[in-house]
């Protein structure tokens, strides 16, 4: 049991640093200046970060044939090359002046692909370790990916506090290159050990994760405190009181304790409890003259019609139909699911990629504050499915994943239209709602893929689904860039100031999100039996 919880802590650490592309809005304007790019080129660079997901299925194939710790290290090395070379190019003035835009574009694609390798390891490890509480564990671990931008921003604020905005942009690239590699090296032994334990659990040899509910309660409390702390520290980012170096260091220290130290308490307590129980069992065996234990030779739960049968009752775990990638692409449900994600989470990611330019066009000076705020609410959004799952499993009721997606996309549609109001409050509220919904849909989709198409080819199937992210990023991002340029001063690198810059884009995105909500309801009606 303690090893299962240790694997969850490992995925929390990995997810906390894996979202390197989410901090792009914090330095996109500086990158545009350093490389003398147009708005269209900048949007294509945001697309390049998502384009790495086109080759994400490589990580799924690798995970099916290689040890998970090796897949993890490959992903971190790919990221180090992608971001590290960019950092080298921007820190050498002679090289920077002659740097090709397409070289930076290619390196960004490589860096974006590295995220897929780390995420694939996290998903597979969590599913293996917690087969009966998959959504709970997935939601807890993936929620921390929503904090990535916040964590990177806090580190840059402390380390690069005396640097110019261009220096901070280089700092983000250096952190994106080095930090994931360091964490992956630390976590690799845990992943190697947890993979073996996960395989035994999945095959029926391990303990039933339904006994771990107390641990989930503690994890939920730690996670909620972490998210609350992130939101409060982000909202206070504009105040003079919290802009000093000491305050920034205090915020970073608190975040480090909440993300690194506190989650370790659960596996430590479980390890102590296991030791105590083992000693009590040995003592009891010595006292009894004829030691017997009715549970020692207890057979694993029997399967009846694909459903786990236990103590005369059926549990709520259904053995899904295993569907391979080729068959999946022929199913109507997959294409409904594809466009639901495209008009939901992908649209949200496109907005967040353009957040730096949206803030700048409105004359707002604190881009980092909004990026941290969006990161914090994305964190809570990723946690929402787990809270719903925990509640519904205790009340013996659970709706379909598609229905939950529709529930999250409805307020997101309204948020895009709220952005048409010329107010900083409207900007903050809309960004919070979009981030919340985007995070929730991203997490729900992991369970939805397994629910709809099975677990056998999950790594490949889910990475095929998220190909819609680079597609949407290219189409929606470039369309927004064209509209932005049309309202600018006419030059290639001109800035657009005012509400008209993104007004049409917000209307289009809001309408598409409404369509996605309708498609999610249709998918719900087709799959609610699951």
């Amino acid at each position: 049991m303690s090893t299962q919880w240790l694997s969850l802590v490992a995925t929390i650490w990995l997810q906390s640093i894996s979202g390197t592309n989410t901090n792009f809005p914090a330095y996109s304007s500086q990158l545009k200046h350093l490389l003398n790019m147009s708005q269209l080129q900048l949007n294509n660079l945001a697309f390049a970060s998502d384009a790495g997901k086109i080759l994400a299925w490589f990580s799924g194939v690798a995970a099916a044939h290689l040890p998970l710790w090796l897949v993890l290290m490959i992903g971190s090395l790919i990221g180090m090359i992608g971001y590290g070379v960019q950092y080298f190019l921007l820190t050498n003035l002679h090289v920077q002046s002659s740097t090709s835009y397409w070289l930076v574009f290619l390196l960004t694609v490589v860096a974006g692909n590295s995220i897929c390798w780390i995420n694939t390891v996290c998903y597979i490890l969590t599913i293996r370790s917690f087969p009966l509480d998959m959504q709970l564990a997935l939601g807890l671990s993936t929620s921390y990916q929503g904090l990535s931008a916040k964590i990177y921003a806090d580190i840059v604020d402390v380390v690069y506090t005396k640097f110019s905005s261009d220096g901070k942009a280089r700092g983000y690239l250096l952190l994106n290159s080095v930090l994931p590699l360091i964490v992956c090296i630390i976590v690799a032994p845990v992943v190697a050990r947890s993979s073996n334990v996960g395989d035994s659990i999945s095959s029926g040899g391990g303990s039933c994760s339904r006994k771990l509910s107390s641990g989930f309660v503690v994890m939920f409390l730690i996670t909620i405190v972490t998210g609350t702390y992130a939101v409060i520290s982000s909202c206070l980012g504009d105040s003079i009181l919290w802009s000093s170096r000491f305050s920034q260091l205090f915020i970073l220290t608190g975040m480090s304790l909440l993300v690194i130290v506190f989650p370790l308490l659960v596996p430590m307590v479980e390890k102590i409890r296991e030791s105590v129980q083992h000693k009590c069992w040995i003592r009891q065996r010595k006292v009894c003259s004829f030691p017997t234990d009715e549970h020692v030779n207890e057979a694993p739960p029997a399967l009846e019609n694909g459903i786990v049968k236990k103590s005369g009752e059926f549990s709520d775990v259904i053995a899904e139909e295993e569907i391979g990638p080729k068959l999946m692409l022929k199913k109507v449900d997959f294409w409904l699911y594809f466009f639901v994600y495209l008009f939901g989470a992908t649209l949200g990611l496109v907005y967040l990629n353009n957040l730096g330019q949206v803030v700048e066009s409105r004359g707002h000076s604190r881009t980092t504050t909004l990026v941290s705020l969006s990161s914090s609410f994305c964190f809570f959004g990723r946690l929402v499915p787990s809270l719903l799952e925990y509640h519904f499993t205790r009340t013996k009721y659970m709706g379909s994943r598609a229905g939950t997606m529709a529930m999250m996309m409805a307020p997101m549609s309204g948020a895009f239209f709220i952005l048409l109001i010329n107010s900083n409050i409207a900007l903050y509220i809309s960004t919070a709602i979009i981030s919340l919904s985007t995070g929730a849909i991203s997490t729900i989709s992991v369970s939805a893929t397994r629910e709809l198409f099975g677990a056998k080819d999950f790594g490949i199937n889910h990475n095929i689904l998220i190909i819609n992210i680079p597609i949407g990023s290219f189409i929606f991002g470039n369309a927004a860039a064209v509209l932005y340029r049309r309202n600018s001063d006419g030059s290639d690198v001109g800035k657009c100031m005012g509400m008209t810059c993104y007004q049409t884009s917000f209307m289009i995105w809001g309408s598409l999100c409404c369509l996605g909500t309708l498609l999610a309801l249709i998918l719900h009606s087709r799959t609610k039996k699951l």
Side-chain angles (χ1 to χ4, degrees), residues 36-37 77 87 136 143 160 168 178 212 222 246 260 526:
N36 197 30
M37 293 185 295
L77 290 173
Y87 172 75
L136 293 177
S143 64
Y160 293 86
K168 289 184 177 181
V178 174
L212 309 179
I222 294 172
F246 175 78
I260 299 174
R526 292 172 58 88

Side-chain angles (χ1 to χ4, degrees), residues 256-465:
S256 300
L257 288 172
L258 288 169
V259 174
I260 299 174
V261 179
F262 281 25
L264 277 174
L265 295 176
V266 175
M268 288 175 61
V269 171
E270 287 294 333
K271 186 65 177 178
I272 294 172
R273 193 177 72 171
E274 284 178 7
S275 300
V276 172
Q277 287 179 341
H278 182 67
K279 290 179 180 179
C280 291
W281 180 81
I282 293 175
R283 188 180 299 113
Q284 189 176 27
R285 296 273 295 184
K286 290 180 178 179
V287 171
C288 296
S289 54
F290 297 98
T292 59
D293 191 341
E294 60 180 358
H295 299 293
V296 170
N297 298 316
E298 185 177 340
L303 283 174
E304 184 170 318
N305 296 326
I307 304 176
V308 179
K309 190 172 184 181
K310 184 179 179 182
S311 302
E313 298 180 357
F314 292 100
S315 78
D316 58 352
V317 178
I318 301 176
E320 306 90 340
E321 177 187 359
E322 297 295 342
I323 298 174
K326 292 182 179 179
L327 180 59
M328 180 184 72
L329 292 173
K330 297 178 182 179
K331 286 187 167 290
V332 175
D333 287 347
F334 169 76
W335 292 107
L336 281 172
Y337 182 30
F338 184 91
F339 284 104
V340 166
Y341 199 102
L342 181 67
F343 297 149
T346 297
L347 262 180
L349 290 173
V350 171
Y351 169 75
L352 295 176
N353 283 339
N354 283 271
L355 185 58
Q357 303 302 305
V358 172
V359 173
E360 183 183 64
S361 68
R362 294 192 176 214
H364 200 290
S365 60
R366 294 288 295 180
T367 303
T368 304
T369 300
L370 265 167
V371 171
S372 296
L373 184 71
S374 67
S375 176
S376 302
F377 275 93
C378 187
F379 168 85
F380 269 118
R382 289 174 178 271
L383 186 62
V384 165
S386 290
L387 296 173
L388 292 176
E389 176 94 4
Y390 185 77
H391 171 72
F392 287 139
T393 52
R394 293 174 70 86
T395 58
K396 305 301 181 183
Y397 172 80
M398 172 55 71
S400 74
R401 314 291 183 195
T404 310
M405 286 185 184
M407 184 177 68
M408 299 307 302
M409 289 175 68
M412 185 176 175
S413 305
F416 281 118
F417 291 108
I418 294 175
L419 284 167
L420 299 175
I421 302 173
N422 187 9
S423 166
N424 284 338
I425 295 177
L427 177 62
Y428 274 77
I429 292 174
S430 297
T431 300
I433 294 174
I434 293 171
S435 302
L436 189 78
S437 300
T438 301
I441 297 168
S442 299
T443 299
I444 295 168
S445 68
V446 179
S447 297
T449 302
R450 185 178 184 274
E451 182 181 80
L452 293 171
F453 310 114
K456 182 179 180 182
D457 294 306
F458 167 80
I460 300 175
N461 290 345
H462 192 69
N463 283 317
I464 289 175
L465 168 73

Side-chain angles (χ1 to χ4, degrees), residues 63-64 66-73 120-121 124-125 128 191-192 195:
L66 298 175
L68 288 183
W69 68 266
L70 182 57
V71 177
L72 185 67
M73 295 308 303
T120 298
V121 171
I124 293 176
L125 184 62
R128 288 179 181 176
V191 172
S195 299

Side-chain angles (χ1 to χ4, degrees), residues 24 27-43 45 90 96 101 104 166 169 356-357 360 481 484-485 488-489 491-497 502:
F24 179 77
Y27 64 91
S28 58
S29 296
Q30 290 74 35
L31 201 61
K32 179 181 178 182
H33 171 260
L34 288 169
L35 297 176
N36 197 30
M37 293 185 295
S38 67
Q39 183 62 32
L40 185 60
Q41 287 178 317
L42 184 64
N43 275 84
L45 210 58
L90 293 180
Q96 178 185 328
Y101 168 77
V104 177
D166 291 347
Q357 303 302 305
E360 183 183 64
Y484 177 96
R485 183 180 177 183
S488 67
D489 57 16
S491 64
D492 285 341
V493 294
K495 291 183 179 180
C496 177
M497 301 299 294
Y502 285 94

Side-chain angles (χ1 to χ4, degrees), residues 128 191-201:
R128 288 179 181 176
V191 172
R193 180 182 178 186
S194 301
S195 299
N196 298 329
V197 175
D199 289 336
S200 65
I201 293 173

Side-chain angles (χ1 to χ4, degrees), residues 498-509:
M499 292 295 297
T500 57
C501 301
Y502 285 94
Q503 187 175 33
T504 306
S505 297
F506 292 151
M507 293 175 67
I508 294 173
W509 294 350

Side-chain angles (χ1 to χ4, degrees), residues 73-141:
M73 295 308 303
I74 292 173
S76 63
L77 290 173
I78 292 174
M80 185 188 69
I81 294 171
Y83 286 113
V85 176
Q86 286 186 65
Y87 172 75
F88 171 78
L89 294 175
L90 293 180
T91 49
N92 292 270
L93 296 179
H94 297 293
V95 178
Q96 178 185 328
S97 59
S98 60
T99 298
S100 167
Y101 168 77
W102 292 109
L103 175 59
V104 177
F105 183 93
L106 179 61
L107 290 170
T108 305
V109 172
V110 172
N113 181 254
S114 68
I115 301 170
C116 303
W117 291 72
I118 297 175
N119 286 345
T120 298
V121 171
C122 292
Y123 297 155
I124 293 176
L125 184 62
T126 304
I127 289 172
R128 288 179 181 176
S129 298
F130 298 90
L132 301 185
D133 289 308
M134 177 188 61
Q135 181 63 72
L136 293 177
L138 280 173
L140 279 168
S141 59

